[in-house]
Amino acid sequence: MRFFYFFLIFSIGFTGFSQSKEDSAKAMVQAFFKAFHEQDSVKLKTYAFEDVQLKSIAKNAKGKMVINTDSYEEFVKSMTTIPAEVDFEERLGLLEVQTDGYLANVWVPYEFYLNGELSHCGVNNFQLIYTDKAWKIISIVDTRKKQACQD
């Protein structure tokens, strides 16, 4: 009987300290952006699942909505080619996370600054899959607006 109580208390202790799936999904996206700002291609590659695509939704010069698609590999490669004298920063808003077992959706507004000037803003939407006790990116869709970011 003492073993049972010990096991129960031991289990409750670990449950209280374990990170929820929502928290771990949020932490993974935050780690992604840390690696993004550090231009760390090795870390960025570890966050991806198979065949990740990035899609950006924006208005073209004629005001028509368009979707641009890029591979995650091209994105990672492009990060390594940004010159050191170019200062970029993606400032994140509040991350909202929804999970359902092995699927998570992370929604985060952002403002993107290039050399200290606001370049564009929008929302990043990460779709994640939970595998091998870690979240991996299966898709990223973002919106890009040049006008005021309160729209």
Side-chain angles (χ1 to χ4, degrees):
M1 191 67 166
R2 278 190 277 167
F3 176 77
F4 174 75
Y5 287 125
F6 173 78
F7 180 76
L8 181 64
I9 291 169
F10 185 76
S11 297
I12 291 170
F14 273 103
T15 304
F17 290 107
S18 68
Q19 192 174 36
S20 73
K21 281 195 172 179
E22 290 87 1
D23 289 342
S24 63
K26 181 188 268 189
M28 194 287 288
V29 171
Q30 290 168 328
F32 166 88
F33 279 106
K34 184 175 187 298
F36 169 76
H37 287 113
E38 293 172 350
Q39 296 174 271
D40 189 335
S41 61
V42 174
K43 280 185 188 174
L44 285 169
K45 288 177 184 178
T46 67
Y47 301 127
F49 195 63
E50 303 162 6
D51 302 321
V52 177
Q53 285 192 336
L54 285 70
K55 295 184 184 284
S56 293
I57 301 169
K59 287 185 179 180
N60 66 13
K62 296 179 181 179
K64 181 181 176 188
M65 294 302 292
V66 294
I67 299 175
N68 296 310
T69 302
D70 202 359
S71 73
Y72 192 80
E73 289 132 12
E74 285 299 315
F75 161 74
V76 171
K77 184 178 176 183
S78 72
M79 292 305 305
T80 63
T81 62
I82 298 173
E85 61 272 6
V86 174
D87 181 37
F88 67 96
E89 178 186 11
E90 189 152 343
R91 297 179 189 169
L92 304 180
L94 179 66
L95 280 81
E96 297 178 37
V97 181
Q98 297 173 321
T99 62
D100 183 27
Y102 298 110
L103 174 67
N105 178 56
V106 180
W107 178 275
V108 58
Y110 73 91
E111 293 179 336
F112 189 84
Y113 290 82
L114 192 58
N115 294 322
E117 299 284 326
L118 179 64
S119 169
H120 61 278
C121 59
V123 172
N124 293 306
N125 185 304
F126 286 77
Q127 298 291 308
L128 310 175
I129 184 172
Y130 192 77
T131 179
D132 299 326
K133 299 185 180 181
W135 289 105
K136 298 288 184 176
I137 301 167
I138 56 176
S139 170
I140 303 174
V141 178
D142 69 71
T143 59
R144 296 185 185 183
K145 300 182 285 186
K146 293 276 186 187
Q147 73 277 14
C149 294
Q150 287 74 27
D151 294 352

